[in-house]
Amino acid sequence: MKILVTGGAGYIASHTNLELLNAGYDVVIVDNLSNSSMESVKRVEKLTGRKIAFYEVDILDKESLRQIFEKEKIDSVIHFAGLKAVGESCLKPLNYFRNNLSGTIVLLEVMQEFAVKSLVFSSSATVYGDPAKVPVTEDMPLSVTNPYGRTKLMIEDILQDLYRSDATWNIAILRYFNPIGAHESGEIGEDPSGIPNNLVPYVAKVAIGELEKINVNGDDYDTPDGTGIRDYIHVVDLALGHIKAIEKLTDHPGLVIYNLGTGIGYSVFDIIHNYEKACNKKLPYTVVARRPGDIAVSYADASKAYQELGWKAERGIDKMCEDSYRWQSKYPKGYSK
Ligand code: NAD
Ligand code: UD1
């Protein structure tokens, strides 16, 4: 079975490609390399001993996408391609709408043209906004607070409308909580450009001495230690969730939605302390102002994915921090040596 992976050179996709190849799937990547490097693709090939068909193509380029569908005879698509920085999306909303929304529409049009109607879509826990209760279940009300989140919610709506118009589509919407960590080989991992926005990539840079200290964004939230609580999930568990979703689509389920999280919430201080164990040193931090738009607590009820996909996250916070640190210390500059 041949899977087209859009954004396939990126962080979550590279881990998913590895699991797809190990499970016997063929992988075709479309990526414009706007936030990634070919090196991740090469490393996945090396780790698996398998070849990947790679196309440096923007998903907005319909004609090139058509040619790929013509040539490759795709069975199913996992759609990761998109811009994902919340702050940047507030400064440049049109870039986000054009890239994420228009890109998805072009992709869906080409899929329809070639009668490829099986899609896994990367959504985000951001579509729950500030959840009224935790753990968060898939049927809870949705809302967003920034353009990035709006693109995710709008794409979910587009997919719902598409499915209503033509029930021969099979679509799995996966709402990721907070993916962190890296493959245990230390060969692939998250490689943010510039100063990381997200907590764990920032902590990793402090651990290797590239950044001086962690900024804890607020210790006055209504949580046991006052810092924000999130559901961190090992990227390899997340990747394996995609394999289960692809298997589910072969049963023709229609449109399905799953939270992919662990169901456990950790605070910022929990993360710092667990990372200190992984790197075996004290990590300096300072408490600074809350980050605008941040919420106090979010973690998943992931029982639907367990019941319907037979998937649950297996890797704990120790492993997430150890694997993150292994990757970061082995490749302090990420893929660019
Ligand atoms: P990433 O930036 O590492 O991967 C995205 C990839 O898409 C990159 O390789 C980039 O070059 C590519 N891309 C972007 N626009 C493209 C376009 N127009 N045409 C072709 N390629 C394009 O990000 P990631 O963390 O691996 O996230 C993958 C997906 O999961 C994204 O859709 C993201 O919004 C979603 N998601 C990520 C997180 C997270 O915390 N990492 C959480 C929830 C959802
Ligand atoms: C971020 C994205 C969100 C996305 C989610 C999934 C932002 C604003 N939101 O959410 O859209 O769906 O990732 O991975 O980027 N923190 C610090 N210091 C830092 C960075 C973060 O204390 O330097 C705190 C935050 O206040 C939060 C926690 O760490 O409590 C996690 O932050 P982060 O890793 O950025 O993830 P989210 O905010 O959950």
Side-chain angles (χ1 to χ4, degrees), residues 86 124 177-178 198-199 215-217 228 230 232 268 291 294:
V86 172
S124 166
F177 280 69
N178 290 53
N198 299 112
L199 178 64
N215 296 307
V216 175
N217 287 117
R230 296 291 184 276
Y232 297 92
V268 175
R291 198 170 57 178
D294 265 359

Side-chain angles (χ1 to χ4, degrees), residues 248 258 301-312:
K248 180 76 177 175
Y258 300 109
D301 179 331
S303 57
K304 189 177 174 210
Y306 184 56
Q307 280 152 18
E308 297 187 14
L309 300 178
W311 172 90
K312 71 176 169 44

Side-chain angles (χ1 to χ4, degrees), residues 43-333:
R43 293 203 190 164
V44 171
E45 287 185 327
K46 200 163 167 211
L47 285 166
T48 58
R50 300 214 31 217
K51 277 284 178 216
I52 293 175
F54 177 83
Y55 295 90
E56 187 174 343
V57 159
D58 194 303
I59 55 166
L60 285 155
D61 178 352
K62 194 170 192 173
E63 198 40 53
S64 297
L65 267 192
R66 275 206 187 98
Q67 285 169 19
I68 295 166
F69 273 77
E70 187 71 57
K71 181 161 175 236
E72 296 285 355
K73 309 289 180 250
I74 304 296
D75 295 297
S76 194
V77 176
I78 307 183
H79 179 32
F80 291 103
L83 300 174
K84 62 161 186 176
V86 172
E88 185 188 58
S89 82
C90 298
L91 298 172
K92 299 175 178 171
L94 295 180
N95 283 7
Y96 275 67
F97 291 124
R98 181 173 158 70
N99 193 75
N100 295 6
L101 278 186
S102 305
T104 301
I105 293 168
V106 170
L107 172 70
L108 294 170
E109 284 172 345
V110 177
M111 288 177 69
Q112 193 166 48
E113 190 179 322
F114 285 83
V116 178
K117 294 186 178 177
S118 166
L119 176 79
V120 178
F121 172 62
S122 303
S123 189
S124 166
T126 193
V127 299
Y128 294 113
D130 191 352
K133 67 167 183 62
V134 283
V136 180
T137 50
E138 288 85 350
D139 55 2
M140 278 174 55
L142 305 180
S143 69
V144 289
T145 53
N146 59 71
Y148 163 70
R150 204 172 315 284
T151 66
K152 291 295 175 196
L153 191 49
M154 288 171 87
I155 293 168
E156 287 203 10
D157 287 342
I158 290 169
L159 294 175
Q160 299 268 10
D161 282 341
L162 182 64
Y163 176 66
R164 272 191 282 272
S165 76
D166 174 359
T168 65
W169 279 87
N170 288 291
I171 298 170
I173 293 173
L174 303 181
R175 295 181 181 149
Y176 312 155
F177 280 69
N178 290 53
I180 62 167
H183 188 255
E184 65 182 358
S185 63
E187 289 297 310
I188 55 172
E190 186 168 13
D191 184 18
S193 53
I195 295 177
N197 298 310
N198 299 112
L199 178 64
V200 172
Y202 199 105
V203 171
K205 298 270 184 200
V206 175
I208 60 162
E210 193 179 310
L211 292 171
E212 191 196 337
K213 56 177 187 272
I214 302 157
N215 296 307
V216 175
N217 287 117
D219 66 353
D220 55 353
Y221 284 103
D222 186 13
T223 61
D225 69 16
T227 67
I229 290 179
R230 296 291 184 276
D231 185 336
Y232 297 92
I233 173 171
H234 196 296
V235 66
V236 172
D237 278 325
L238 189 64
L240 290 167
H242 291 73
I243 313 288
K244 294 288 189 185
I246 287 283
E247 286 170 5
K248 180 76 177 175
L249 293 183
T250 57
D251 305 338
H252 303 291
L255 187 144
V256 286
I257 303 177
Y258 300 109
N259 285 341
L260 295 186
T262 63
I264 304 169
Y266 288 105
S267 73
V268 175
F269 287 139
D270 290 334
I271 292 295
I272 295 175
H273 295 139
N274 277 286
Y275 216 98
E276 284 176 334
K277 277 196 277 166
C279 67
N280 199 23
K281 60 176 87 124
K282 277 301 240 190
L283 297 176
Y285 68 82
T286 176
V287 176
V288 297
R290 290 183 180 195
R291 198 170 57 178
D294 265 359
I295 57 173
V297 183
S298 168
Y299 56 91
D301 179 331
S303 57
K304 189 177 174 210
Y306 184 56
Q307 280 152 18
E308 297 187 14
L309 300 178
W311 172 90
K312 71 176 169 44
E314 307 278 358
R315 292 159 182 78
I317 196 68
D318 293 2
K319 175 110 182 106
M320 298 183 215
C321 294
E322 282 159 19
D323 288 343
S324 162
Y325 184 61
R326 184 178 304 108
W327 151 253
Q328 193 66 80
S329 41
K330 203 165 173 183
Y331 294 104
K333 299 272 171 247

